[in-house]
Amino acid sequence: MLTVIVSAAALLVSIAAFVHSVRSSKVQTELTLREIELVRIQIANEHEKKKSVVSADVSARLYSLGSHKWRVRTYNRGPGNALNVSIASDNTGYIIDSEKNDKLPLRSLESGHSVDLLAAIHLQSKRKAEITLVWMDTSGKEHTKEVALTF
């Protein structure tokens, strides 16, 4: 009778240990899946950081140096260099053609640098006009950006 009680107790302990190991295995599997997902997210973030280091962000704005002295400043505010920077469409009439032909396309516009173009603003000029900037980043991808110039 004692052996039956001991064997029954051993059976209960082994069943409890088995249930505990199954639950632990499920928890461990769930944790492993979460770790895999976190690693995927970290890898994706690293790829995005690498892309952002390569990409340039070229923009332009119209500004005044005083009475009747206007400039269009084209600048790169992204972390990467911009290559072959040009103005694809300029139906504003703001930028003087000889100025645009002499200075553009820029072979390279480094991060934080800019180039100023002379602008001709008169009483019949539109208050708001758009230009299209075109450039390539160092990976060779071409970008375009519509910029509204206002005065």
Side-chain angles (χ1 to χ4, degrees):
M1 173 88 155
L2 184 61
T3 58
V4 172
I5 293 174
V6 170
S7 61
L11 180 64
L12 288 175
V13 169
S14 65
I15 289 173
F18 177 73
V19 170
H20 179 67
S21 70
V22 168
R23 286 183 182 167
S24 295
S25 176
K26 285 182 182 179
V27 170
Q28 185 64 35
T29 303
E30 190 176 311
L31 286 174
T32 303
L33 292 175
R34 286 185 183 180
E35 285 179 21
I36 290 170
E37 186 62 29
L38 283 174
V39 168
R40 285 184 186 149
I41 291 170
Q42 286 176 337
I43 290 171
N45 286 341
E46 288 299 318
H47 284 298
E48 286 299 318
K49 283 181 185 176
K50 285 181 183 179
K51 283 182 185 177
S52 68
V53 169
V54 173
S55 65
D57 184 16
V58 177
S59 193
R61 68 181 180 92
L62 181 68
Y63 69 97
S64 172
L65 290 175
S67 111
H68 308 296
K69 295 180 183 177
W70 291 89
R71 305 284 188 272
V72 173
R73 176 166 286 166
T74 304
Y75 54 91
N76 179 6
R77 60 181 171 199
N81 290 344
L83 308 172
N84 297 325
V85 179
S86 63
I87 297 175
S89 67
D90 172 29
N91 54 6
T92 63
Y94 290 173
I95 302 172
I96 298 171
D97 287 335
S98 62
E99 182 78 1
K100 185 168 79 171
N101 294 337
D102 288 345
K103 293 185 178 178
L104 298 177
L106 286 174
R107 191 168 68 201
S108 177
L109 185 59
E110 295 177 1
S111 176
H113 287 84
S114 63
V115 63
D116 289 345
L117 303 170
L118 295 174
I121 304 296
H122 49 82
L123 291 175
Q124 280 80 32
S125 295
K126 295 179 186 177
R127 304 279 295 163
K128 178 181 175 184
E130 289 189 358
I131 62 172
T132 303
L133 299 170
V134 179
W135 74 94
M136 288 176 31
D137 59 22
T138 53
S139 68
K141 184 177 178 186
E142 187 172 291
H143 301 271
T144 61
K145 184 176 189 179
E146 298 260 337
V147 178
L149 302 176
T150 59
F151 69 95

